[in-house]
C-alpha cells in the first residue's frame, strides 16, 4: 500500500500542478490579449495624432500662403497709394498754378494771360494769339474746350 498511496499522492500533486499550469496559461493568455488590445489602442491613438498633425501642417501651409498673398496685395496697394498720392499732388499743384494764373491775370495785359504765342483772356474766357484782338464770335463750347486745353497745358507743366 505504500506504493499505492505514494502513487496517489504523486497523482494528486500532478493534478494540482496541471491545474496551476492551466491557470497560469489562462492568466498569460489574458495578459497577452490585454497587451494586444493596449497596443491596438495605442496604434489607433498614434494614427489619430498623426492625422491631426498632418491637418495642422496643411492648415499652417494654407494660412502661410494666405499671409503671403495678403502681404503681396498690401505691397501692391501701398505702391498704388504712393502713385495716387503723387498724382494727387500733381493735380493739386496744377490747380494751384491755374488758380494763381487766373487770379493774377486781371492785373496785367488787360485781363489777358500771355503764354508764348497763346494768350488766355480770363474776363472773356477766350484763347487766341497775343497779337489778335478779342473775338466775340466764338461759341461757348469752343471757349470751354480752350479752357480745358489750357488746364491740360498747365497740368503738363506741373508734371515736369
Amino acid at each position: 500500500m505504500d506504493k499505492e498511496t505514494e502513487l496517489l499522492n504523486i497523482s494528486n500533486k500532478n493534478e494540482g500542478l496541471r491545474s496551476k499550469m492551466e491557470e497560469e496559461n489562462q492568466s498569460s493568455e489574458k495578459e497577452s490579449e490585454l497587451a494586444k488590445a493596449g497596443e491596438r489602442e495605442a496604434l489607433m491613438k498614434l494614427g489619430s495624432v498623426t492625422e491631426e498633425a498632418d491637418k495642422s501642417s496643411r492648415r499652417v501651409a494654407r494660412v502661410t500662403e494666405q499671409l503671403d498673398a495678403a502681404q503681396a496685395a498690401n505691397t501692391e496697394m501701398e505702391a498704388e497709394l504712393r502713385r495716387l498720392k503723387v498724382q494727387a499732388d500733381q493735380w493739386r499743384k496744377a490747380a494751384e498754378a491755374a488758380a494763381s494764373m487766373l487770379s493774377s491775370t486781371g492785373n496785367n495785359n488787360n485781363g489777358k494771360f500771355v503764354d508764348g504765342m497763346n494768350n488766355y483772356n480770363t474776363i472773356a474766357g477766350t484763347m487766341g494769339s497775343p497779337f489778335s484782338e478779342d473775338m466775340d464770335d466764338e461759341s461757348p463750347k469752343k471757349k470751354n474746350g480752350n479752357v480745358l486745353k489750357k488746364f491740360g497745358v498747365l497740368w503738363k507743366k506741373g508734371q515736369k
Side-chain angles (χ1 to χ4, degrees):
M1 270 250 222
D2 270 332
K3 286 192 176 193
E4 221 176 270
T5 2
E6 194 177 325
L7 183 62
L8 193 59
N9 283 337
I10 291 176
S11 256
N12 285 339
K13 279 184 185 180
N14 278 345
E15 282 297 318
L17 289 174
R18 277 190 196 136
S19 66
K20 267 188 178 181
M21 203 165 79
E22 284 179 18
E23 287 175 13
E24 290 290 325
N25 279 343
Q26 287 175 353
S27 174
S28 293
E29 285 176 8
K30 286 180 183 177
E31 287 177 9
S32 174
E33 286 177 22
L34 287 174
K36 285 180 184 179
E39 183 181 359
R40 281 191 299 266
E41 186 177 337
L43 286 174
M44 287 174 52
K45 285 182 181 179
L46 178 64
S48 174
V49 168
T50 303
E51 185 177 325
E52 287 297 318
D54 289 344
K55 284 181 184 178
S56 292
S57 294
R58 286 191 299 270
R59 191 177 307 127
V60 164
R62 186 176 61 247
V63 168
T64 302
E65 185 177 303
Q66 289 173 346
L67 176 64
D68 291 343
Q71 286 175 339
N74 188 25
T75 302
E76 288 176 17
M77 286 180 168
E78 286 174 352
E80 179 70 11
L81 181 61
R82 283 191 300 273
R83 189 186 65 76
L84 289 173
K85 282 181 179 178
V86 166
Q87 189 178 28
D89 191 44
Q90 289 173 344
W91 277 103
R92 181 189 55 78
K93 287 178 182 177
E96 287 174 356
S100 76
M101 285 183 188
L102 291 175
S103 68
S104 69
T105 57
N107 297 333
N108 57 347
N109 205 14
N110 294 327
K112 294 181 182 179
F113 173 72
V114 178
D115 180 24
M117 292 303 289
N118 296 326
N119 68 0
Y120 181 74
N121 186 334
T122 57
I123 296 171
T126 60
M127 288 183 67
S129 169
F131 305 112
S132 69
E133 293 298 317
D134 291 340
M135 296 182 174
D136 292 332
D137 59 341
E138 290 184 21
S139 71
K141 287 184 181 179
K142 191 171 182 180
K143 289 180 183 178
N144 287 342
N146 289 337
V147 170
L148 292 175
K149 286 179 187 175
K150 191 62 178 179
F151 276 116
V153 169
L154 292 173
W155 183 69
K156 287 179 183 175
K157 286 182 180 178
Q159 286 183 338
K160 291 181 181 178

